[in-house]
Amino acid sequence: ELGIELSAFVLFSSMSGTIGAAGQGNYAAANAYLDALAEQRRAAGLAATSLAWGPWAGSGMAADEAMDARMRRDGVPPMAPDAAIAALAQAVGAGETALTVADIAWDRYAAVVAAVRPNPLIRDFVTVAAAGEAAITGHGTVVTGADVAGATFAKLAELPRAEQERELLALVRTQVAAVLGHEGSDAVGAERAFKELGFDSLTAVDLRNRLGAASGLKLPTTLVYDYPTSAALAEYLRGELVGSAPTVDAALPMAVETDGDPIAIVAMSCRFPGGVRTPEDLWRLLAQGTDAVAEFPVDRGWDLERLYDADPERPGTSHTREGGFLYDVADFDADFFGISPREALAMDPQQRLLLETAWEAFERAGIDPAALKGSRAGVFVGTNGQDYLSLVAGEADGLEGHVGTGNAASVVSGRLSYVFGLEGPAITVDTACSSSLVALHLAVQALRQGECTMALAGGVTVMSTPDAFVDFSRQRGLAEDGRIKAFAEGADGTGWGEGVGM
């Protein structure tokens, strides 16, 4: 204390360090350290008071509406600030060393805590209501996860597969509803993504713990991310409890050797300028020599009048008004992929197009995309920059939390792996104009080396801003009419265009 005799030394810790909190082991340890510091100082004859706070109303995590509702549901309603301040003054004035200050609805809180395992600390509180006590002790008998697992396994083993699936889906939906505070499982759609239902890291851990206690299984902390719907999670539990399901990779079509090379392209999909939406469209465009270069799009917020100037030296302008564009990049069925409208708005259009073309590639190959979940299929995507971030980075209208994953280069490939449940390599490469070729090369290498059993490979380019046209105009590297003439005698310049292919 540098020789200063203090009259008070007050530490703010959290009730998580006193009675625990689901998914907050590191946070609990840090706060318990503060309580221990207060005890150490007192033992040395120094001033110290550590208050382990429960949530305060109107501030901190409780200021978030969803978090506030969750804490109330779990039996820890946020405290009124006036009452908390009064408790602080009383604790310091009375010379308390370590004190927990929280508003707890013991009957609800005890039932929530006991949903995972018996809690001796809560059980010994004489103030716990009878309902909570019954939940903790099981009316005198402590029920363990192993007991439940034995009964569950015995019951499931005797049922046909369809009944097993129904039983486990009902179990999962009921537990999901309990975690989210719904009165019944009707609010939990079997195919609705947990993220869309409102899950966060804490509720994910809560569900994992509940299902682990109910099944007796040791479940991974990434459970709801690996199996992001109730139906997928129920099927995973069925496989763990009953087994006998073939692996996903074994159920996929076998590779067929062609000319001594085990690599074969079995399907493709694409979007290109000139109205190309299928490989057949692309072939017709090439065979007919169709000119796919056209005017700048009018739906991207570009100031087209100020953007064009015939003088390539004028800063901030382009000396061409044409290029190869996809005119429907704003169209995206977010609900089809289990993505919320807000997240879709924060996503780079390149990610949206890749989702659509990946799905189409699977369809053209005769593969049910759902059958790939858990397979060692890899994703290799070439991309030539992400400029959409400059449009959404300053937006605060509910896009926080989605902007990073919606625009990171690494997520361009990772998005496909996550949505389709693919567990092979997920790689994004940027080697400028050769990106898609490099991605295809890496995919072939990975297949030959056994790193994956199937691969999605392709590339995507969407220009959310006209910056590329401005830059290339200043370099004198862009043809005035947007059409490549690099190999024409007496002319130079290249064109600039968009597209996606898998």
Side-chain angles (χ1 to χ4, degrees):
E1 294 181 354
L2 302 178
I4 301 174
E5 185 175 343
L6 300 178
S7 60
F9 185 90
V10 183
L11 300 161
F12 280 21
S13 70
S14 167
M15 62 178 284
S16 64
T18 306
I19 56 179
Q24 294 189 347
N26 55 339
Y27 183 65
N31 284 283
Y33 172 83
L34 296 179
D35 296 338
L37 176 60
E39 296 284 359
Q40 183 187 46
R41 287 180 58 87
R42 283 286 185 174
L46 301 174
T49 298
S50 180
L51 289 101
W53 294 106
W56 287 40
S59 64
M61 292 186 296
D64 179 79
E65 184 176 342
M67 183 61 73
D68 179 274
R70 181 177 182 275
M71 288 187 290
R72 293 180 185 277
R73 183 172 67 244
D74 290 348
V76 191
M79 297 177 289
D82 290 345
I85 293 295
L88 169 62
Q90 183 179 352
V92 174
E96 295 283 354
T97 302
L99 188 69
T100 299
V101 182
D103 185 1
I104 298 179
W106 287 109
D107 53 348
R108 177 61 183 162
Y109 181 77
V112 169
V113 171
V116 177
R117 64 182 66 86
N119 189 309
L121 174 64
I122 304 300
R123 181 179 58 202
D124 293 339
F125 282 180
V126 296
T127 54
V128 173
E133 185 71 18
I136 293 167
T137 64
H139 293 291
T141 302
V142 176
V143 180
T144 67
D147 297 329
V148 177
T152 302
F153 181 83
K155 181 180 180 181
L156 286 176
E158 298 171 356
L159 297 175
R161 174 167 179 163
E163 289 294 328
Q164 294 172 356
E165 292 173 348
R166 275 194 288 271
E167 288 284 336
L168 287 171
L169 181 58
L171 169 66
V172 171
R173 292 178 65 196
T174 297
Q175 294 300 326
V176 170
V179 168
L180 297 177
H182 297 305
E183 294 184 358
S185 60
D186 291 342
V188 181
E191 298 293 344
R192 195 173 180 191
F194 292 135
K195 186 174 182 181
E196 185 180 344
L197 288 169
F199 268 77
D200 56 23
S201 58
L202 295 181
T203 46
V205 171
D206 190 1
L207 179 61
R208 186 280 304 263
N209 291 343
R210 288 169 179 265
L211 291 175
S215 65
L217 298 172
K218 185 177 181 180
L219 302 174
T221 55
T222 57
L223 186 69
V224 302
Y225 303 103
D226 295 336
Y227 307 95
T229 67
S230 295
L233 183 46
E235 180 58 25
Y236 166 74
L237 293 176
R238 195 197 73 82
E240 292 296 305
L241 287 169
V242 181
S244 76
T247 64
V248 176
D249 289 314
L252 296 177
M254 296 296 292
V256 178
E257 289 198 15
T258 305
D259 297 330
D261 192 333
I263 307 301
I265 298 175
V266 296
M268 67 170 287
S269 61
C270 60
R271 300 275 197 284
F272 287 115
V276 172
R277 299 187 63 83
T278 66
E280 292 78 14
D281 289 342
L282 177 60
W283 176 251
R284 282 192 292 270
L285 181 141
L286 295 172
Q288 297 171 6
T290 303
D291 185 356
V293 175
E295 296 179 349
F296 283 179
V298 298
D299 63 345
R300 302 191 189 183
W302 300 358
D303 189 340
L304 300 181
E305 292 299 322
R306 296 184 59 184
L307 177 60
Y308 174 74
D309 194 291
D311 181 4
E313 292 297 327
R314 183 178 177 184
T317 65
S318 166
H319 70 272
T320 183
R321 292 188 258 203
E322 295 186 317
F325 295 100
L326 302 175
Y327 290 107
D328 56 357
V329 293
D331 299 338
F332 179 61
D333 189 349
D335 187 60
F336 179 81
F337 291 100
I339 296 172
S340 71
R342 286 187 300 176
E343 183 173 9
L345 181 60
M347 286 171 57
D348 190 320
Q350 295 180 128
Q351 292 189 24
R352 305 178 211 160
L353 284 170
L354 285 169
L355 284 172
E356 293 175 345
T357 51
W359 185 279
E360 291 174 12
F362 290 140
E363 286 186 329
R364 296 177 73 90
I367 298 173
D368 180 359
L372 293 170
K373 186 177 294 293
S375 71
R376 291 190 300 114
V379 180
F380 304 82
V381 177
T383 179
N384 191 14
Q386 297 79 41
D387 58 358
Y388 188 67
L389 179 61
S390 64
L391 302 181
V392 297
E395 295 291 332
D397 187 17
L399 300 186
E400 299 95 336
H402 298 307
V403 173
T405 55
N407 294 270
S410 59
V411 183
V412 172
S413 56
R415 175 80 64 176
L416 298 179
S417 293
Y418 176 76
V419 169
F420 296 111
L422 312 181
E423 298 183 5
I427 299 174
T428 306
V429 295
D430 182 355
T431 56
C433 297
S434 64
S435 296
S436 60
L437 293 177
V438 174
L440 180 60
H441 171 72
L442 293 175
V444 171
Q445 280 191 324
L447 287 167
R448 285 176 173 157
Q449 295 170 9
E451 296 174 358
C452 54
T453 54
M454 179 185 296
L456 276 172
V460 61
T461 294
V462 174
M463 291 171 282
S464 298
T465 70
D467 292 351
F469 287 92
V470 174
D471 193 43
F472 273 76
S473 291
R474 295 300 301 276
Q475 294 178 23
R476 298 295 183 92
L478 194 64
E480 292 183 5
D481 62 0
R483 292 163 177 81
I484 295 176
K485 302 180 182 64
F487 304 107
E489 184 177 353
D492 60 9
T494 184
W496 201 257
E498 303 175 328
V500 58
M502 295 299 294

